[in-house]
């Protein structure tokens, strides 16, 4: 009977959840907004429709992710852009680019709430627009695999997993000491 209870207790131990998180990010890319949607386990949202909303909730347009989970959207208004994609099973990607960042993409002055004296002057630019576009494309291509590796690393080595593993080890040692103590008492009797 005790063995059956012990087996049932061992079977009832919690197992680690195999959940994953939604990754969604946007960044300026020349005169467009580029974004990435996927999961923290490295699976990317392929062929996913992404709907773009303004700050008032009005739809500004749609775009679609490519085979690597990336999408490109060209803004027309210097307002905050919110990108949403329904990935199914309760997973929704939702990420917003601020109005200031969109205004910079459009080459317009951002909506400033601070006084002009508070702003720092922009650094002088010595590259042409074509050179900046080429540099941005090169950096973007180099950053894609790094972002995926960082997301996968975060998912695998979080503090909760480490503490959970230490808990299992401590539990196994406790069980071993308990059984050894019972055996010693039984032999002494």
């Amino acid at each position: 009977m005790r063995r059956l209870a012990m087996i049932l207790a061992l079977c009832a131990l919690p197992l680690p959840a195999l959940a994953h998180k939604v990754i969604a990010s946007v960044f300026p890319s020349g005169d467009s907004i580029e974004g990435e949607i996927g999961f923290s386990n490295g699976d990317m949202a392929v062929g996913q429709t992404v709907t773009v909303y303004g700050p008032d909730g009005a739809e500004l347009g749609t775009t679609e992710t490519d085979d690597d989970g990336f999408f490109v959207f060209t803004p027309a208004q210097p307002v905050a852009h919110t990108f949403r994609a329904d990935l199914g099973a309760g997973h929704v990607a939702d990420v917003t680019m601020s109005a200031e960042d969109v205004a910079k993409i459009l080459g317009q002055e951002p909506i400033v709430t601070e006084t002009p004296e508070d702003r720092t002057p922009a650094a002088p630019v010595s590259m042409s627009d074509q050179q900046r576009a080429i540099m941005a494309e090169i950096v973007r291509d180099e950053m894609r695999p790094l972002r995926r590796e960082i997301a996968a690393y975060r998912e695998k080595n979080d503090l909760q997993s480490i503490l959970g593993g230490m808990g299992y080890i401590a539990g196994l040692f406790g069980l071993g000491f308990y059984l050894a103590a019972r055996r010693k008492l039984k032999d002494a009797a």
Side-chain angles (χ1 to χ4, degrees), residues 121-138:
V125 177
S126 61
M127 293 192 304
S128 68
D129 290 341
Q130 183 180 11
Q131 290 171 328
R132 275 190 262 150
I134 291 171
M135 288 292 287
E137 184 177 338
I138 291 170

Side-chain angles (χ1 to χ4, degrees), residues 17-21 39-42 149-158 161:
L18 300 176
H20 48 250
K21 299 174 190 167
F39 296 100
S40 59
N41 64 0
E149 288 179 19
I150 290 170
Y153 179 77
R154 285 182 186 160
E155 182 66 22
K156 288 181 181 175
N157 297 316
D158 62 350
S161 298

Side-chain angles (χ1 to χ4, degrees), residues 159-169:
L159 181 62
Q160 188 177 11
S161 298
I162 293 169
L163 293 176
M166 292 172 63
Y168 278 115
I169 292 169

Side-chain angles (χ1 to χ4, degrees), residues 33-162:
I33 299 170
E34 185 170 340
E36 174 185 26
I37 297 176
F39 296 100
S40 59
N41 64 0
D43 293 340
M44 302 309 292
V46 177
Q48 184 67 49
T49 300
V50 179
T51 307
V52 186
Y53 297 97
D56 57 351
E59 185 175 321
L60 300 177
T62 60
T63 184
E64 190 169 311
T65 59
D66 62 12
D67 292 341
D68 293 325
F70 285 88
F71 64 88
V72 176
F73 183 79
T74 304
Q77 304 172 29
V79 296
H81 284 57
T82 300
F83 298 86
R84 287 194 186 110
D86 184 3
L87 305 177
H91 295 100
V92 177
D94 189 355
V95 62
T96 301
M97 177 175 275
S98 69
E100 290 80 14
D101 290 339
V102 175
K104 287 179 186 175
I105 290 171
L106 295 172
Q108 300 175 1
E109 282 294 318
I111 300 170
V112 179
T113 56
E114 60 191 11
T115 62
E117 293 82 27
D118 294 338
R119 287 192 282 166
T120 57
V125 177
S126 61
M127 293 192 304
S128 68
D129 290 341
Q130 183 180 11
Q131 290 171 328
R132 275 190 262 150
I134 291 171
M135 288 292 287
E137 184 177 338
I138 291 170
V139 170
R140 187 174 50 246
D141 290 343
E142 294 294 322
M143 293 294 292
R144 284 181 180 178
L146 294 175
R147 279 194 223 124
R148 287 190 190 137
E149 288 179 19
I150 290 170
Y153 179 77
R154 285 182 186 160
E155 182 66 22
K156 288 181 181 175
N157 297 316
D158 62 350
L159 181 62
Q160 188 177 11
S161 298
I162 293 169

